Amino acid sequence: SVCPVYDVFQSEDMSSRGWFEIVTAKDYSYLDSKRVVEACLNCKSCRTICPAGVDVSELILQRRAENPNQGSRWLFALQAKLPVFEAILKLLAKTQSWWDRPAPRALLERLAAPVMKRIATTAKLPADMVLPKLATTHLRDRYPELTQPPAKKTGPRVAYFHGCAANYFDDGVGDAVISVLRKHHVEPELPPQRCSGTPIETYGHVDLVKDNARFNLQSLAGYDQVVTGCASCTLMLKEYKKFFESGPEQQAADVLAKKVVHITEFVARSDQHPPMGTPEGQGGKVTYHSSCHLRAAGVTKEPRQLLKQLPGSDYVEMTDADRCAGGAGTYIVKDYDTSQKVFDRKRRNIEQSGAETVATSCPACMIQLSNGMRGRVAVKHVAQLLNDAYEAGAATETRPGAGQ
């Protein structure tokens, strides 16, 4: 079975096949089936591999929408109020060096427990979980010139839909994507945007997803291309049309779906070929964890193709590279224990590959990989490795005597 949950529980009712029987049964009851319906990671692996194209995870999302998770609604409603939400995140970022230590984290785990239990009985924020570093200055604040429409624009307009993680986390992904686009002679714009809606949908709040989708559809309408760096954002932006039965909104969603490309697709298709070099202290073996939602969006060859082109690096394909790592966005806190059991298999495969660096195409996967590997390997976004190679190549070209 490709289902990562079945891999852990080895039980038919904890598998995509079992879930299909449960959620399509005539006598289906959410209360009777809550344990199994809430166990799905929404990794889309069943859809990706099914010859008939049956998307069991979509059926489960529809059932969750019938009984939205009320314990999480306040958080997603707050997230939509950007000035307040971002002010809170910046405060947390500025104080992270204080509260993200063993003793405060242990206290935080206990204090957060009642709130987490409202989301799921399995939910928790473990004191030993490696949290992403929050950005004291958000991506949009670091590039204010890109948040305003240019006075004069020649050529196609390209938007960078950075999503939540690249904007709020100090993980280097957003900076790398912007730098890579510039290396390919593209000056991206950062239009106003809200969360694509993937985590919101997994908790059943379709009304909030639609609100965000309408906002993003309007904001992205004037662009010729929309580049993403997040696998989940890529898939969701391509699938907005499922939330609108007909009319202008569905038409706008159809148009947007054709414009969206992941950064790895963009680079692989580009007619620009910036010089590349080997960054100091890098190289060696690199492996790739294939993000589930990027795979569901049909992007599998491009990231591997680009990694194989990195100078000084030896690309190795890990066993089961296409298997879910178990993070699944917020699933890592919704059911931390199960997510780590899912990751055990990924950890073994990374270690067996002998790679010093594991690359991926999604900031959310980076959180799970960093937490699970605990510094034993470097965890990088493909865009970061590309940008490092471009920077090294540019430095070589400008070095005195280069090319002589």
Side-chain angles (χ1 to χ4, degrees), residues 33 64 75 78 104 113 130 177 218 261 360 386 400:
S33 310
R64 289 181 185 175
L75 177 60
L78 176 64
V130 178
V177 171
Q218 182 175 1
V261 293
T360 189
L386 280 173

Side-chain angles (χ1 to χ4, degrees), residues 184 263-271 273 302-303 305-306:
H184 284 259
I263 184 64
T264 56
E265 291 180 280
F266 179 90
V267 173
R269 298 172 185 174
S270 176
D271 57 5
H273 302 286
E302 292 86 349
Q305 172 188 332
L306 297 176

Side-chain angles (χ1 to χ4, degrees), residues 93-145:
K94 290 176 181 177
T95 57
Q96 188 169 8
S97 62
W98 177 83
W99 58 261
D100 198 2
R101 293 181 291 131
R105 283 287 303 277
L107 176 61
L108 179 61
E109 180 178 358
R110 291 196 294 271
L111 293 176
V115 177
M116 301 299 289
K117 296 305 178 187
R118 289 189 59 201
I119 297 174
T121 57
T122 54
K124 61 180 177 180
L125 189 64
D128 62 344
M129 175 184 167
V130 178
L131 296 178
K133 184 180 179 183
L134 297 173
T136 54
T137 304
H138 294 163
L139 183 76
R140 300 181 66 82
D141 297 329
R142 298 199 296 276
Y143 298 90
E145 74 280 7

